[in-house]
């Protein structure tokens, strides 16, 4: 009699018997592992955004992470304001010498203090890092003129694109900054009615824009596209396990060092990437490529760069470090070490337990979750992307099997079937 295959929850219980006897709750352990995998992926991405790599293998620390922190705060505050009715300024009543007269003083609420700090510190830093988002008004900082001469065609700055929440919050802070800047900078002086009016206007503007039907439609379309790309890319990776019980997963970051953050840097990087992906698909970089997903990004200091995930036939190849190095060395040859650089993500493998780097077996549910979290990051629309392209996610073509094709060979053994793959990658929104 053929043995009935176990569900993936039962497989996890078989490998973690002692733990389950102590907790008695399978869902708790599954949720805890998934939370740890997601946290490790976020830590990895945050660490990678702080590093600048060169062609000689040296790494330096960038200030880009500070700008990213303020950009994330822009989005957080925009959602916090739009989802509540909290005020930014509160009224304090303090009695004078006589009980008949009461003076009125004002102070910032905790939400108001966060917005004030953002206007005074975060927004100027973002404008310095990305001149294209500067507020162009009579109170704005001096900027270069918008010349259209031919000799300035190569110096055209890259355009920064933010998601809707960040765009609205940034615009509101920039509109209110002239009044705030005249209120002694970092000193919270709310004695002026104009300052109080402009600060409260930030909350009204954000709520009016974020609660409009047009904004909700834009945000819904953006999140729907992310979910669609997540499901599509997860199924794309799951198809790789149809004919192979083991995949070798490689991840590298490819960089083009910017000169002055102009569109010429963008065109150079795009040309190099086009030739690189063609060589990768045709097997001229590493052999037996089954799947590849590439995400285009452009940072404030790192310029145009790409995050590449490649899956090879795990039955033929096991040396992830060497093959990842081949991916990076080929990128250097495309442009030379003076402009191009790469980072081999495998060198950080020991810092993260479930990072889905190296050999991934069809029954290893933890590594499969790592693949899902890596894909979740790749399909996410970041607020600091400055590519100017509508689509920043690229993947290889999925080779579909013909329905009439005969399946040769013996059936897969228990533990080597597609149960885990279908549960984790086939349904990326699965909640254990």
């Amino acid at each position: 009699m053929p043995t009935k295959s176990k569900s993936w929850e039962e497989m996890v219980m078989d490998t973690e018997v002692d733990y389950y006897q102590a907790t008695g709750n399978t869902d708790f352990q599954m949720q805890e592992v998934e939370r740890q995998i997601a946290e490790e992926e976020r830590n990895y991405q945050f660490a990678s955004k702080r590093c600048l790599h060169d062609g000689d293998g040296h790494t330096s620390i960038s200030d880009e992470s500070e700008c990213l922190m303020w950009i994330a705060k822009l989005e957080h505050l925009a959602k916090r304001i739009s989802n509540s009715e909290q005020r930014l300024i509160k009224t304090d009543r303090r009695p004078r010498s006589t009980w008949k007269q009461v003076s009125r003083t004002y102070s910032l609420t905790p939400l108001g203090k966060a917005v004030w700090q953002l206007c005074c510190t975060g927004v100027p830093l973002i404008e310095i890092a990305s001149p294209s988002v500067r507020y162009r008004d009579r109170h704005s900082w001096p900027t270069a003129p918008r010349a259209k001469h031919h000799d300035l065609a190569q110096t055209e700055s890259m355009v920064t694109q933010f998601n809707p929440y960040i765009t609205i919050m940034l615009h509101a802070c920039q509109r209110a900054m002239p009044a705030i800047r005249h209120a002694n900078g970092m000193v919270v002086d709310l004695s002026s009615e104009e300052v109080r009016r402009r600060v409260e206007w930030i909350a009204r503007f954000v709520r009016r824009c974020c609660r409009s039907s047009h904004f909700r439609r834009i945000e819904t379309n953006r999140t729907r596209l992310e979910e669609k790309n997540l499901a599509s890319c997860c199924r794309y990776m799951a198809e790789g396990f149809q004919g192979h019980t083991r995949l070798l997963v490689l991840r590298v970051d490819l960089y083009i060092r910017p000169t002055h953050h102009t569109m010429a840097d963008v065109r150079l990087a795009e040309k190099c990437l086009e030739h690189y992906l063609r060589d990768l698909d045709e097997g001229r970089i590493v052999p037996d490529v089954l799947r590849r997903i590439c995400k285009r990004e452009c940072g404030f200091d790192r310029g145009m760069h790409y995050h590449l995930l490649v899956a090879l036939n795990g039955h033929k190849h096991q040396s992830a470090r060497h093959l990842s190095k081949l991916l990076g060395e080929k990128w250097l040859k495309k442009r030379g070490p003076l402009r191009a650089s790469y980072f081999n993500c495998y060198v950080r493998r020991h810092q993260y337990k479930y990072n889905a780097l190296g050999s991934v077996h069809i029954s290893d549910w933890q590594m499969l979750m790592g693949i899902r979290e890596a894909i979740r990051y790749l399909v996410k629309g970041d607020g600091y992307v400055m590519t100017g392209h509508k689509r920043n996610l690229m993947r290889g073509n999925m080779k579909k099997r013909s329905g009439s094709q005969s399946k040769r060979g013996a059936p897969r053994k228990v533990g080597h079937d597609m149960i885990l793959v279908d549960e984790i990658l086939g349904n990326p929104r699965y909640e254990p």
Side-chain angles (χ1 to χ4, degrees), residues 118-120 123-124 127 141 172-182:
L118 179 65
C119 293
C120 296
V123 173
E127 290 183 345
W141 294 356
C173 293
Q174 289 174 328
R175 290 284 299 272
M177 278 181 63
I180 295 177
R181 189 180 296 119
H182 294 302

Side-chain angles (χ1 to χ4, degrees), residues 88-107:
L88 303 186
I89 297 177
K90 62 182 180 180
T91 303
D92 300 327
R93 294 182 178 272
R94 298 179 180 178
R96 287 183 178 178
S97 57
T98 61
W99 64 273
K100 293 183 179 181
Q101 295 181 352
V102 178
S103 63
R104 179 174 295 180
T105 60
Y106 302 91
S107 62

Side-chain angles (χ1 to χ4, degrees), residues 373-386:
E373 291 304 321
I375 294 176
R376 190 187 303 276
Y377 166 75
L378 292 176
V379 303
K380 184 178 181 180
D382 292 332
Y384 54 89
V385 174
M386 300 185 297

Side-chain angles (χ1 to χ4, degrees), residues 9 12-13 16-26 29-30:
E9 290 89 350
V12 173
M13 292 181 63
E16 305 286 347
V17 176
D18 296 335
Y19 182 88
Y20 280 104
Q21 289 177 351
T23 61
N25 190 344
T26 61
Q29 199 268 350
M30 298 290 295

Side-chain angles (χ1 to χ4, degrees), residues 126-176:
I126 295 174
E127 290 183 345
I128 294 175
S130 179
S132 64
V133 301
R134 289 179 178 176
Y135 181 58
R136 303 181 186 277
D137 198 1
R138 62 189 182 93
H139 296 294
S140 62
W141 294 356
T143 57
R146 296 184 178 181
K148 299 295 182 180
H149 302 290
H150 178 72
D151 55 347
L152 295 179
Q154 296 297 323
T155 62
E156 180 185 0
S157 299
M158 291 182 292
V159 179
T160 306
Q161 297 178 347
F162 297 108
N163 69 38
Y165 279 107
I166 297 176
T167 301
I168 290 175
M169 191 66 195
L170 178 63
H171 184 66
C173 293
Q174 289 174 328
R175 290 284 299 272

Side-chain angles (χ1 to χ4, degrees), residues 193-390:
E193 182 180 356
E194 175 65 18
V195 175
R196 297 195 304 270
R197 187 177 64 85
R198 298 303 295 178
V199 172
E200 288 291 356
W201 175 87
I202 294 177
R204 293 197 303 269
F205 177 81
V206 172
R207 291 189 180 107
R208 183 174 68 251
C209 294
C210 294
R211 295 176 181 179
S212 64
S213 59
H214 179 66
F215 176 87
R216 291 197 299 267
R217 183 167 58 253
I218 294 176
E219 182 65 16
T220 300
N221 292 336
R222 187 180 69 89
T223 55
R224 184 186 296 116
L225 180 60
E226 290 183 4
E227 295 177 357
K228 179 180 178 181
N229 289 336
L230 175 62
S232 176
C233 290
C234 284
R235 288 195 300 267
Y236 172 71
M237 289 296 298
E239 287 291 331
F241 288 98
Q242 290 286 354
H244 307 82
T245 58
R246 190 181 298 274
L247 298 180
L248 186 68
V249 179
L250 314 175
R251 294 177 66 179
V252 293
D253 298 336
L254 310 175
Y255 300 90
I256 287 289
R257 186 177 298 107
T259 54
H260 299 90
H261 292 274
T262 62
M263 292 303 298
D265 297 326
V266 177
R267 289 187 288 267
L268 173 63
E270 287 299 301
K271 183 177 180 180
C272 294
L273 181 69
E274 180 182 357
H275 296 165
Y276 182 87
L277 293 182
R278 182 172 64 245
D279 292 343
L280 181 63
D281 294 337
E282 295 177 358
R284 292 198 292 266
I285 302 179
V286 291
D288 302 310
V289 176
L290 300 178
R291 296 289 184 269
R292 57 101 172 156
I293 302 176
C294 181
K295 180 187 180 183
R296 178 194 295 111
E297 284 187 359
C298 190
F300 296 113
D301 295 334
R302 296 178 295 166
M304 187 66 66
H305 60 279
Y306 307 92
H307 300 277
L308 180 65
L309 186 149
V310 178
L312 310 181
N313 187 343
H315 299 284
K316 296 183 179 179
H317 308 281
Q318 290 81 33
S319 180
R321 181 186 294 271
H322 173 68
L323 293 173
S324 299
K325 185 177 181 181
L326 288 180
L327 292 173
E329 294 296 332
K330 183 65 176 180
W331 177 255
L332 293 182
K333 292 180 181 178
K334 281 295 179 183
R335 192 58 195 175
L338 295 179
R339 292 294 305 274
S341 61
Y342 78 96
F343 177 69
N344 183 359
C345 302
Y346 192 82
V347 300
R348 293 180 181 268
R349 185 176 185 274
H350 64 281
Q351 301 179 12
Y352 310 100
K353 187 176 180 180
Y354 311 115
N355 55 4
L357 290 177
S359 181
V360 180
H361 192 263
I362 198 173
S363 61
D364 193 340
W365 61 276
Q366 296 171 337
M367 295 292 280
L368 291 175
M369 283 186 174
I371 292 179
R372 186 181 65 181
E373 291 304 321
I375 294 176
R376 190 187 303 276
Y377 166 75
L378 292 176
V379 303
K380 184 178 181 180
D382 292 332
Y384 54 89
V385 174
M386 300 185 297
T387 63
H389 296 80
K390 294 182 179 180

